[in-house]
Structure formats: structure tokens, C-alpha cells
Amino acid sequence: MKSWQYRALLGAAALAAPFVLASPAPASGPAADAGGAPAATAAAAEAVPNNDPSFLQVYDANVENLPTTTESCPGDWHDLMYYMRLQEYRPDIYLVQQISHRDQLDLLLTRMEEHFGETYAGVLAENDPAEFENGCSGKVQQTNAVVWRTDRLSLKLSASPGNRWQAQREYPADSENCVNNNQARTKGVKALLEDKLSGRTVTAASFHWPTQSHGGTYCNVSNAGELNNELTEDGYGVADLFIAGGDTNHSASGTNGDDNWTTWYRAANGDLGGAYRFRDAVYAGCADAGGPIPDCLADKWTLYTSGPRRVDFLLARNPDGAPPRTSHPVVPTFAEGDAADLELTGSDNGAMDYSDHRSVGARIHY
């Protein structure tokens, strides 16, 4: 079930008019002061540039091709931008899955400049990916991107075709034979970036694995290993830090909120002794919070289909294989996106979510 369908079943309102980017406005009118005159309303505090050289502010999201309210699979993608604007720091790195093509990436970069007041740049796995029909208008092309804030980071390397790789699937179906998948949207992309403040380098990657219905069930373990390798191959292994964000289409645990970790996730998560030594920023945040980690993770789901699942991840690894420090993890709810839109523009279509997937964000420390 798509998230917008789930909201509709709860009695969501009818679709709104197409979104128009608005200037920030108070959520309510000014109160009167003691003399009866309107009192000034404080503007919402907005995110500022991150000028701390010890960490990067990173977000990951499957953006579902930047949905608008008039599409057959509707949404309001700007809600996530409004949420980011109300956090302490603007994104330094934004790892994006399921964006259409170069024109749509350019649209995203333009809108991010309007939202945050500074310039962003990005690279795609493919500028013009092959089309496929999936039942949603505006989603026949899908690829993945790495986006960065240009005042903080500069591009050192991301040259095609060495900057991309194809995730694997089972073929024939229900076998244990892994071959390259045949969908454009499952080509990952990586970029080697230089941090202008710290003088260090970071390899950032965005990835998207096949769904279980498209042969992805068995090969998720292989895909985790390939992700681990791709971060260091083709000249990208010189980085001081490795960051990867993506949509795995496979849960971290067999049941949301339980610790029956799936095979791929146990192999990937260094805090569980996994061989690939990634730190899952959300898992680490729950560990730092104390208490049962599965209970903490239960409401950090990122996709609701037949039930809630955590399938979107922000992962990090150091060159020596040790997991780096992560902090301030967030999984913005759809309601938080709605509230941020309302706070900054004075209106919001509460029936529309920013994506079918909830985003993940954290500070990744050197």
C-alpha cells in the first residue's frame, strides 16, 4: 500500500492545487500586546550552514520522482525541504534515490537553492535512464544521485562509467544465482568530495536495490558486499570517510521492532559484528539512547506496505574499517513535514506525504 493510499483510508482530504513555492510566513496571526496593538511574531528559526569541520550533515531519501499533488501517485515533496529548513543545519550531502533524469535533478538543485539560500551540485548514475512502466505517471525514468553543498564540498572525482555500478538480482527466479539486475533505477552512483573546511575527503554513494518481486530476495547479501567494495574501487578508496545512503527494499529485521536481524543487515552492521563494518546511524542513535534497541527502532520505519518496515538506511565507514561516530539521527515523519510546511508558508495539504519513503538524516563525524 502506498503511503498516500494509507492516508486516504484514514479520511484524508481531497487533493490540493499544484504546489507553488512560497515565501516563509508565520503560522498564525500576531497576538495583541498589552496596549491592544498587534505584537510582532517571531519568524521560525531556519537552518544555517554547517561550519563545524568535525562532521557533515547528511540526509538520504527515496524521493519517488519528486511527487506533486496532481500526479496519479501524488505527493508534496517540498514538505521534506521545509522540514530540513527547520533543523539546525542545512544539508551538506543529500543522497537521493529514484529521481527521474538530469532535468529533474536540475529542478531539485534549483529548488534547494531557493529553500536554503546557497548553491548545491550533484551527479547522477545516468542522466537519461531507460524507461519502464510502473503504474505511476511521471515515474517512467528512475535513477540515483549524490548532491552536495558547494560552499562546503567540491567534487574531486565522479566520472562515468566508473562512478556507477548495477545491483544484483536472482536469475532464474527463486534461485541462488546472482546476476546484474536489468533496471536502470538499481544503478548506484558515487562521488569523491573534498571538504573545504577540514581538508579531508569523503566518498559518498547513493544506491537502490531490486525489490523482492524483481528477484532481490537472495542477492541482498551480495549487494551489501558490492556496496562495501564499490566505495573503495576506481580511485574512490583514498577518502577519509565513506558514506552511503539508499533504499535496500529489504528490512533490517524480520519483524519491525524485533531483533531477528536479516542476513544482509547483520553482515552490514558493524555494531552487530558485521563483516562490512558499516555504522547504521539510526541503529547507533537507538543504542546511544539506552533501553531496548528494537523498541527504539520500531517507530523509525521508513516504508509502510503491508506493515511498517525499515528499508532506507544511512551508513558510514572509516578507511580502517571501524565504524565512525554518528549523532543526531532523524527519521522525519510525514506529519513533521506537513507541520514544517505550515510553519513556513502558512498552509499545507495534510493529505499529501513528501514520499512513500520516510527520509533518514544524521551527522556523520570524521
Side-chain angles (χ1 to χ4, degrees):
M1 179 184 295
K2 300 289 188 183
S3 63
W4 64 271
Q5 293 171 317
Y6 179 65
R7 296 279 280 259
L9 289 175
L10 298 179
L15 302 187
F19 176 84
V20 177
L21 192 64
S23 300
S28 59
D33 62 20
T41 300
E46 293 206 34
V48 299
N50 170 27
N51 293 320
D52 188 329
S54 69
F55 72 87
L56 295 166
Q57 178 64 61
V58 184
Y59 288 91
D60 171 76
N62 179 325
V63 297
E64 292 284 356
N65 300 83
L66 305 182
T68 63
T69 59
T70 57
E71 296 177 3
S72 62
C73 299
D76 187 359
W77 69 272
H78 280 275
D79 283 353
L80 181 58
M81 296 292 105
Y82 288 125
Y83 172 88
M84 292 177 178
R85 281 172 55 176
L86 292 183
Q87 305 312 298
E88 185 172 1
Y89 295 115
R90 299 167 185 168
D92 293 316
I93 295 176
Y94 187 24
L95 304 172
V96 176
Q97 298 83 54
Q98 208 167 305
I99 195 163
S100 296
H101 39 56
R102 185 71 222 188
D103 286 348
Q104 192 169 72
L105 176 60
D106 288 342
L107 171 64
L108 173 62
L109 298 176
T110 298
R111 293 293 184 261
M112 289 183 73
E113 182 175 354
E114 293 172 355
H115 276 293
F116 299 111
E118 57 181 306
T119 303
Y120 286 82
V123 294
L124 292 166
E126 293 182 301
N127 287 330
D128 188 24
E131 295 185 4
F132 81 105
E133 295 294 336
N134 67 350
C136 294
S137 65
K139 294 187 179 183
V140 295
Q141 289 180 283
Q142 298 178 4
T143 188
N144 306 300
V146 176
V147 172
W148 61 91
R149 184 169 67 91
T150 59
D151 278 354
R152 177 68 187 262
L153 298 155
S154 62
L155 180 65
K156 289 181 66 68
L157 176 65
S158 188
S160 177
N163 66 339
R164 66 175 186 256
W165 73 98
Q166 176 64 274
Q168 297 182 324
R169 64 166 176 153
E170 303 148 26
Y171 189 83
D174 300 320
S175 71
E176 295 185 357
N177 184 49
C178 294
V179 301
N180 281 347
N181 189 32
N182 61 348
Q183 295 172 309
R185 72 177 192 164
T186 57
K187 292 180 180 178
V189 62
K190 56 190 175 183
L192 177 64
L193 304 169
E194 182 172 6
D195 187 335
K196 299 176 185 180
L197 287 180
S198 70
R200 298 178 179 181
T201 54
V202 55
T203 292
S206 175
F207 65 94
H208 193 175
W209 295 350
T211 61
Q212 295 178 41
S213 63
H214 200 77
T217 302
Y218 174 74
C219 296
N220 48 19
V221 177
S222 176
N223 283 326
E226 186 174 37
L227 171 65
N228 179 69
N229 293 337
E230 282 289 343
L231 290 173
T232 63
E233 293 176 348
D234 305 310
Y236 295 84
V238 297
D240 298 296
L241 179 66
F242 302 99
I243 299 173
D247 173 6
T248 66
N249 276 306
H250 301 275
S251 302
S253 56
T255 303
N256 191 55
D258 286 353
D259 61 356
N260 52 347
W261 313 115
T262 52
T263 305
W264 83 264
Y265 184 74
R266 186 177 289 278
N269 189 333
D271 291 312
L272 294 174
Y276 301 129
R277 304 291 289 165
F278 285 112
R279 173 144 286 154
D280 172 359
V282 174
Y283 179 99
C286 285
D288 291 342
I293 294 174
D295 289 351
C296 174
L297 292 174
D299 63 356
K300 304 296 192 299
W301 57 268
T302 63
L303 180 66
Y304 197 105
T305 50
S306 57
R309 299 189 295 145
R310 199 164 68 95
V311 302
D312 300 85
F313 300 89
L314 184 54
L315 308 171
R317 185 169 61 78
N318 281 324
D320 62 3
R325 180 182 169 228
T326 60
S327 67
H328 299 77
V330 293
V331 181
T333 67
F334 301 131
E336 287 174 322
D338 292 338
D341 188 351
L342 183 63
E343 176 76 11
L344 289 171
T345 71
S347 65
D348 174 69
N349 185 337
M352 296 291 100
D353 299 333
Y354 60 76
S355 174
D356 286 340
H357 294 249
R358 285 162 44 166
S359 175
V360 180
R363 298 177 189 178
I364 311 295
H365 298 255
Y366 289 109

